[in-house]
């Protein structure tokens, strides 16, 4: 399985990081980014096949393989070895073949010791993504933290077992992810119906609907979810459907549902998750550029990946140094003035 490159658009990597070949993955890679440009499972508006390319390039800064984080005080693209394996070749008319190819690619990345970050594509790809990770870490040993407006636990939709409304049911049925270690954040709207909700309850899933989140507070819900996710599991798979955000913050998606999280809430939640939990895989899905005014959604998807990477880098650094990140610390705290500041400049006198 050689590197395919971009299926749609210019052959670029995520913000200029180095390329890698899935047939020859280096053993020292910390993270490998993979595109899964499949949207053959959509039930409403297609277009997420163009998501990986949009997420890779949605940034106004130079694509130079460097992104210092103001909040985390790390440069994840430098502090971690982050590589880009390009896109898996998928075909919307062959859903089962496309899913097999994605699963094999993700399994290879996980087996190499790197964390796979998959850029979707519609949410159908959660099935091969999480299965590929579970093949390495063990079925039932990885919990799922799932940010989404929709439960994605349908059974047979439009006469098919596979689609973007069904991957979570298939994952639980296969044993790759345990139902009682499946945490959903941000559900809302008018689907699914009572029969599917009964199935979810029977599998002991924990789903935080937006009314509960608003009433209790997002942080309290996350803290509770983290405790469940870490109980008798070795790692956490993080699935981010961009439609977890209100359409005002993420209009470029196939099945928008009003009343979701803000962009700020999602970024903070992803950062906290990847800092506090042992994340072993991550996906960002359902970014659909054809409906994305001013690239709002693509920029958010790009920043979700960067927040995750920055938190992973800070988690590793703090573990090595015995330190802990304090989100309340002022931006300029503990920074030493430069020589030019000591000499003074046109904006004010020299420091004493």
């Amino acid at each position: 399985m050689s590197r395919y490159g971009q299926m749609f658009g210019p052959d670029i990597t995520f913000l200029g990081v180095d390329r890698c070949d899935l047939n020859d993955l280096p053993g020292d890679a910390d993270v490998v980014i993979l595109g899964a440009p499949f949207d053959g499972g959509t039930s409403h508006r297609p277009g997420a096949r163009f998501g990986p390319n949009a997420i890779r390039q949605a940034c106004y800064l130079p694509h130079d393989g460097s992104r210092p984080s103001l909040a985390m005080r790390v440069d994840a693209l430098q502090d971690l070895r982050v590589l880009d394996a390009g896109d898996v070749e998928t075909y919307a008319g062959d859903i089962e073949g496309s899913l097999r190819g994605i699963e094999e690619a993700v399994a290879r990345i996980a087996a190499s010791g790197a964390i796979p970050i998959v850029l979707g594509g519609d949410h159908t790809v959660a099935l091969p993504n999480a299965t590929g990770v579970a093949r390495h870490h063990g079925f039932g040993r990885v919990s799922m933290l799932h940010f989404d407006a929709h439960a994605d636990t349908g059974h047979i939709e439009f006469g098919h077992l596979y689609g973007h409304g069904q991957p979570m049911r298939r994952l639980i049925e296969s044993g790759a992810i345990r139902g009682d270690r499946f945490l959903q954040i941000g559900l809302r709207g008018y689907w699914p119906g009572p029969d599917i909700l009964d199935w979810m309850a029977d599998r002991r899933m924990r789903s935080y609907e937006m009314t509960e989140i608003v009433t209790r507070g997002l942080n309290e819900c996350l803290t509770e979810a983290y405790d469940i996710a870490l109980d008798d599991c070795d790692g956490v798979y993080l699935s981010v459907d961009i439609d977890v955000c209100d359409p005002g913050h993420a209009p470029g998606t196939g099945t928008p549902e009003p009343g979701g999280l803000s962009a700020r809430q999602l970024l903070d939640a992803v950062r906290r998750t990847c800092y506090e939990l042992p994340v072993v895989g991550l996906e960002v899905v359902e970014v659909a550029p054809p409906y994305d005014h001013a690239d709002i959604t693509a920029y958010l998807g790009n920043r979700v990946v960067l927040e995750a990477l920055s938190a992973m880098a800070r988690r590793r650094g703090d573990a090595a140094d015995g330190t802990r990140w304090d989100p309340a610390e002022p931006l300029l705290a503990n920074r030493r003035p430069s020589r030019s500041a000591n000499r003074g400049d046109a904006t004010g006198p020299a420091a004493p």
Side-chain angles (χ1 to χ4, degrees), residues 140-146 177-185 200 203-208 212 216 219-237 272-273 276-278:
R141 302 307 306 166
V142 176
S143 58
M144 171 77 86
L145 194 62
H146 170 210
I177 307 290
R178 292 166 49 176
D180 62 350
R181 295 297 179 271
F182 213 113
L183 297 311
Q184 300 182 308
I185 307 291
M200 293 165 61
R203 273 67 187 178
R204 298 171 60 195
M205 297 177 69
R206 182 62 170 97
S207 302
Y208 296 85
E212 179 183 359
R216 298 180 59 195
N219 276 331
E220 181 180 329
C221 293
L222 287 176
T223 297
E224 182 178 277
Y226 293 172
D227 288 341
I228 299 170
L230 292 176
D231 182 18
D232 196 33
C233 281
D234 303 318
V236 177
Y237 186 89
R272 183 184 170 194
T273 300
E276 296 187 16
L277 303 184

Side-chain angles (χ1 to χ4, degrees), residues 1-3 19-26 84-85:
M1 183 185 298
S2 61
R3 182 180 185 280
R19 292 177 164 85
C20 66
D21 190 320
L22 285 171
N23 281 325
D24 188 24
L25 290 169
D84 192 327

Side-chain angles (χ1 to χ4, degrees), residues 185-203:
I185 307 291
L187 304 190
R188 59 191 187 275
Y190 301 88
W191 184 89
D195 57 331
I196 296 176
L197 293 176
D198 289 344
W199 182 91
M200 293 165 61
D202 287 344
R203 273 67 187 178

Side-chain angles (χ1 to χ4, degrees), residues 138-158:
F139 273 38
R141 302 307 306 166
V142 176
S143 58
M144 171 77 86
L145 194 62
H146 170 210
F147 287 81
D148 202 332
H150 310 98
D152 292 352
T153 48
H155 181 30
I156 297 175
E157 304 290 339
F158 304 106

Side-chain angles (χ1 to χ4, degrees), residues 104-310:
E104 182 59 31
V106 173
R108 289 191 184 191
I109 293 169
S112 76
I115 297 171
I117 293 183
V118 183
L119 312 178
D122 73 47
H123 220 157
T124 308
V125 303
L127 174 59
N129 292 342
T131 302
V133 170
R135 280 171 52 181
H136 175 66
H137 293 277
F139 273 38
R141 302 307 306 166
V142 176
S143 58
M144 171 77 86
L145 194 62
H146 170 210
F147 287 81
D148 202 332
H150 310 98
D152 292 352
T153 48
H155 181 30
I156 297 175
E157 304 290 339
F158 304 106
H160 293 276
L161 289 170
Y162 303 108
H164 75 162
Q166 299 131 283
M168 307 315 175
R169 190 178 188 124
R170 302 286 92 88
L171 282 168
I172 294 172
E173 289 175 338
S174 73
I177 307 290
R178 292 166 49 176
D180 62 350
R181 295 297 179 271
F182 213 113
L183 297 311
Q184 300 182 308
I185 307 291
L187 304 190
R188 59 191 187 275
Y190 301 88
W191 184 89
D195 57 331
I196 296 176
L197 293 176
D198 289 344
W199 182 91
M200 293 165 61
D202 287 344
R203 273 67 187 178
R204 298 171 60 195
M205 297 177 69
R206 182 62 170 97
S207 302
Y208 296 85
E209 195 265 342
M210 280 302 302
T211 306
E212 179 183 359
I213 292 172
V214 170
T215 302
R216 298 180 59 195
L218 178 58
N219 276 331
E220 181 180 329
C221 293
L222 287 176
T223 297
E224 182 178 277
Y226 293 172
D227 288 341
I228 299 170
L230 292 176
D231 182 18
D232 196 33
C233 281
D234 303 318
V236 177
Y237 186 89
L238 177 57
S239 177
V240 179
D241 185 327
I242 210 69
D243 73 21
V244 72
C245 284
D246 188 272
H249 293 248
T253 193
T255 48
E257 182 64 53
L261 299 180
S262 69
R264 180 70 268 157
Q265 287 177 306
L266 176 60
L267 294 176
D268 286 345
V270 168
R271 178 201 294 164
R272 183 184 170 194
T273 300
C274 292
Y275 181 70
E276 296 187 16
L277 303 184
V279 172
V280 295
L282 165 68
E283 65 191 12
V284 180
V285 300
E286 298 287 355
V287 174
Y291 317 105
D292 195 17
H293 171 69
D295 300 327
I296 294 170
T297 316
Y299 271 89
L300 178 57
N302 179 281
R303 282 349 192 215
V304 167
V305 176
L306 278 176
E307 289 294 326
L309 288 170
S310 298

Side-chain angles (χ1 to χ4, degrees), residues 65-129:
S66 174
R67 280 299 180 278
S69 167
L70 292 177
M72 303 301 289
R73 304 184 182 212
V74 295
D75 185 340
L77 302 186
Q78 294 291 311
D79 297 342
L80 302 175
R81 190 171 188 209
V82 181
L83 304 175
D84 192 327
D87 290 348
V88 178
E89 186 173 11
T90 63
Y91 176 55
D94 181 11
I95 189 167
E96 293 187 16
S98 296
L99 299 188
R100 282 195 300 270
I102 295 168
E103 180 182 328
E104 182 59 31
V106 173
R108 289 191 184 191
I109 293 169
S112 76
I115 297 171
I117 293 183
V118 183
L119 312 178
D122 73 47
H123 220 157
T124 308
V125 303
L127 174 59
N129 292 342

